[in-house]
Amino acid sequence: MSGGRAVSAGAYDLVVVANRLPVDFTVDDAGELSWTRSPGGLVTALEPMMQAADGAWVGWSGAADLAHEPFDADDIRLVPVTLSAEEIELYYEGFANDTLWPLYHDVITAPAYHRNWWEAYRAVNRRFAAAAAEQVAPGGTVWVHDYQLQLVPAMMRDLRPDVRIGFFNHIPFPGIEIFAQLPWRRQIIDGILGADVVGFQRASDASNFVRAVRRLTDLTTRGQVITLPATNGRSERHVRAAPFPISIDSRHFDELARSPEVQQRAREIREELGNPWTLLLGVDRLDYTKGITHRIKAFGELVKEGKLTVPDATLVQVASPSRENVEAYQQLREEVELLVGRINGDYGHLGHPAVHYLHHSYPPQEMAAMYLAADVMLVTALRDGMNLVAKEYVAARSDDRGVLVLSEFTGAADELAGAVMVNPHDIDGMKERILKAVQMEPREQRKRMRRLRRKVLTDDVSKWSRSFLSVLEAVPQAAAGPSVPAPAGVAAGAGVSS
Ligand code: F6P
């Protein structure tokens, strides 16, 4: 990963690097390009800091060959990285979402290993690193996000040895027995080790990473700290790998769900569904990690056995479209739709399907109304870095009602002890737990929901980002090397964010 060239420094104290920019671009019929902000947990979390610290966000626009000059949106500099249609296929759909995604989610589906995907991943990571290196001020901070960009930390360090570098992995980090399959495992480890602080969702992810470092390199590790010896004129460095469980903007979600419009909409949803006795809800990206078929199967069996009856009970499954060019996602869609069709054919009535399946995305207001309307929330992921839907459901329930059924294989399970825990592979166990949730007394619901809400409202996304950045900014400042020319009008060493 060495051999990088030092580049001119930019003017931004805090630079976030993520696969996507927090905006959606649209091109109208006349070919005019416009953008709107896309609401997302990460941007909400980082926005105040970025506005206060002179922040820039480097990311892909979401479309092919879309080149756009950097621009300002709400006091944040947005720096688009252009990807060609071929790079989207090889880097994003290929290496990121058909190699790393299944590998890191415990090979739920088989990862594909293609050398040309890897080459594209490297090339695109290099482009992100170069774009970020041009933006960050001398001695500034760069925070790199997620599995799409694991090579960026080391590339960044080559280009800008003067800056602090953080990396946060939003998805699980697998055990070494699984990670070892990756033909480029060593390069990925070296890429991540370019960071000063490496954050994970769960303590087990952080220890899996440290174990992989121990197994695949000669580096010394002590607890969470990995030591990189002095080389090529660079001094010894320490990398800290630790858990920083992400959260949501809980206050905002709580307020949204308390608004009269959302409360009214929640009542309408129940009416539109024929006022069922029990409304069960699933909300996911249509992804094979989410355990959607497992949950629908369990629900279908409960109906078949007469333990739940239609229309007294109904399941609403929101499955938002995702990664639709990847074959495993196309197959999953077929499986889910076949299963829903069968259950509805067998157990639905005119105007009352057993399962309401919605292949759409909805705005946060509609989601909050659905959460409020639902008696039982089903989060049955087979593997999930965190699962923010579980936290959103809790944040929406200021009435202290509703039951969260939560897979033990989510990061959220480490934190949300008031949930009814399930192993989604155990269909009988899951059926039993779903029935327990359906039949839970209001008193017990209240007790559990209060416990859940205390956790979710206290540990919000801004606490998450502050805690990560405070650990990163406690890293001793690297001296700005002579090879880092200051940009015009910026004195070397100025603009340090800590
Ligand atoms: O959880 C990982 C993640 O990449 C998120 O950052 C993102 O919101 C989600 O998956 C959807 O991913 P994509 O950018 O591939 O649509």
Side-chain angles (χ1 to χ4, degrees):
M1 206 79 53
S2 62
R5 219 164 21 89
V7 294
S8 298
Y12 295 93
D13 296 332
L14 174 60
V15 175
V16 166
V17 193
N19 180 50
R20 285 183 191 268
L21 279 178
V23 285
D24 291 322
F25 285 91
T26 37
V27 184
D28 66 17
D29 295 343
E32 272 303 300
L33 191 67
S34 61
W35 54 268
T36 48
R37 290 287 302 274
S38 61
L42 196 57
V43 63
T44 323
L46 301 175
E47 196 164 29
M49 286 178 204
M50 296 192 78
Q51 286 163 344
D54 257 343
W57 187 306
V58 174
W60 169 46
S61 64
D65 295 311
L66 196 151
H68 199 291
E69 284 305 305
F71 60 102
D72 291 327
D74 298 335
D75 287 336
I76 301 179
R77 186 73 166 165
L78 298 185
V79 184
V81 171
T82 306
L83 298 186
S84 68
E86 192 188 16
E87 283 169 338
I88 294 171
E89 190 187 326
L90 306 180
Y91 147 79
Y92 170 72
E93 291 160 359
F95 199 78
N97 290 320
D98 213 7
T99 303
L100 295 174
W101 182 267
L103 183 75
Y104 283 28
H105 287 87
D106 287 353
V107 295
I108 293 169
T109 178
Y113 302 115
H114 295 298
R115 285 164 287 183
N116 59 336
W117 290 5
W118 162 248
E119 287 310 325
Y121 183 81
R122 278 211 316 190
V124 170
N125 272 239
R126 214 173 287 125
R127 192 170 314 145
F128 273 83
E134 277 180 15
Q135 300 299 329
V136 65
T141 298
V142 175
W143 191 2
V144 183
H145 290 264
D146 228 354
Y147 64 102
Q148 301 95 344
L149 301 175
Q150 294 171 104
L151 303 179
V152 171
M155 291 171 169
M156 204 52 227
R157 188 163 293 281
D158 274 349
L159 295 168
R160 292 293 306 274
D162 60 309
V163 301
R164 293 188 180 98
I165 303 166
F167 176 76
F168 186 78
N169 196 57
H170 290 250
I171 68 172
F173 196 88
I176 178 68
E177 298 74 13
I178 289 178
F179 183 70
Q181 285 187 16
L182 187 66
W184 307 280
R185 58 200 187 187
R186 177 62 202 255
Q187 290 94 315
I188 293 286
I189 294 288
D190 288 344
I192 294 175
L193 287 175
D196 297 294
V197 177
V198 183
F200 295 92
Q201 303 281 24
R202 305 175 100 165
S204 54
D205 298 319
S207 53
N208 282 346
F209 175 73
V210 175
R211 225 172 292 138
V213 170
R214 266 208 304 274
R215 187 76 74 82
L216 300 171
T217 74
D218 295 331
L219 300 172
T220 351
T221 66
R222 196 155 178 226
Q224 299 184 327
V225 179
I226 301 142
T227 301
L228 283 87
T231 43
N232 296 340
R234 287 193 193 164
S235 12
E236 181 183 83
R237 262 185 343 106
H238 301 287
V239 178
R240 180 176 294 275
F244 296 86
I246 200 170
S247 191
I248 56 165
D249 187 357
S250 344
R251 290 279 156 211
H252 171 74
F253 225 87
D254 173 60
E255 278 164 27
L256 188 65
R258 285 177 197 261
S259 74
E261 297 76 20
V262 167
Q263 303 243 337
Q264 171 59 21
R265 179 67 194 133
R267 285 190 289 274
E268 280 168 18
I269 289 172
R270 287 193 78 101
E271 269 165 39
E272 284 166 13
L273 294 168
N275 283 317
W277 187 250
T278 307
L279 172 52
L280 300 105
L281 176 66
V283 174
D284 312 84
R285 270 187 316 102
L286 186 49
D287 194 298
Y288 51 79
T289 59
K290 303 292 182 181
I292 300 172
T293 50
H294 297 64
R295 141 190 355 152
I296 296 177
K297 191 168 180 201
F299 174 77
E301 287 190 16
L302 286 170
V303 174
K304 183 177 177 196
E305 291 160 12
K307 293 180 177 145
L308 293 176
T309 51
V310 180
D312 291 344
T314 191
L315 168 64
V316 172
Q317 176 63 56
V318 176
S320 53
S322 185
R323 304 174 188 167
E324 291 183 288
N325 290 329
V326 180
E327 200 186 321
Y329 289 74
Q330 294 164 357
Q331 271 173 15
L332 173 74
R333 183 171 177 188
E334 305 218 328
E335 270 170 46
V336 170
E337 294 180 357
L338 189 69
L339 190 59
V340 169
R342 278 205 186 137
I343 294 176
N344 282 341
D346 286 343
Y347 309 110
H349 309 289
L350 271 183
H352 295 289
V355 182
H356 292 77
Y357 166 73
L358 304 161
H359 187 237
H360 305 295
S361 305
Y362 293 95
Q365 289 81 346
E366 184 70 0
M367 290 322 309
M370 286 199 202
Y371 294 143
L372 267 184
D375 302 295
V376 175
M377 181 77 214
L378 300 174
V379 176
T380 60
L382 306 176
R383 202 90 186 84
D384 210 333
M386 176 50 63
N387 196 289
L388 297 179
V389 163
K391 293 190 173 181
E392 286 179 0
Y393 180 66
V394 170
R397 298 312 301 244
S398 58
D399 58 354
D400 291 338
R401 294 297 296 270
V403 184
L404 173 64
V405 172
L406 181 61
S407 161
E408 59 192 71
F409 302 115
T410 61
D414 278 8
E415 301 182 87
L416 302 182
V420 174
M421 297 296 173
V422 289
N423 169 2
H425 298 282
D426 172 9
I427 301 290
D428 284 337
M430 189 153 61
K431 282 160 62 186
E432 190 196 300
R433 297 297 168 94
I434 291 174
L435 272 188
K436 173 180 165 167
V438 168
Q439 292 160 358
M440 192 179 286
E441 295 294 338
R443 205 160 150 245
E444 175 73 8
Q445 290 187 24
R446 205 173 303 120
K447 196 175 108 196
R448 286 172 176 261
M449 191 51 81
R450 283 190 179 152
R451 183 169 179 199
L452 289 166
R453 285 179 63 75
R454 268 197 300 278
K455 179 71 182 167
V456 171
L457 290 168
T458 315
D459 291 349
D460 65 0
V461 73
S462 104
K463 189 167 166 188
W464 167 78
S465 55
R466 276 185 281 117
S467 71
F468 184 92
L469 286 174
S470 66
V471 173
L472 181 55
E473 281 167 11
V475 171
Q477 179 79 63
S483 57
V484 183
V490 179
V496 176
S497 56
S498 58

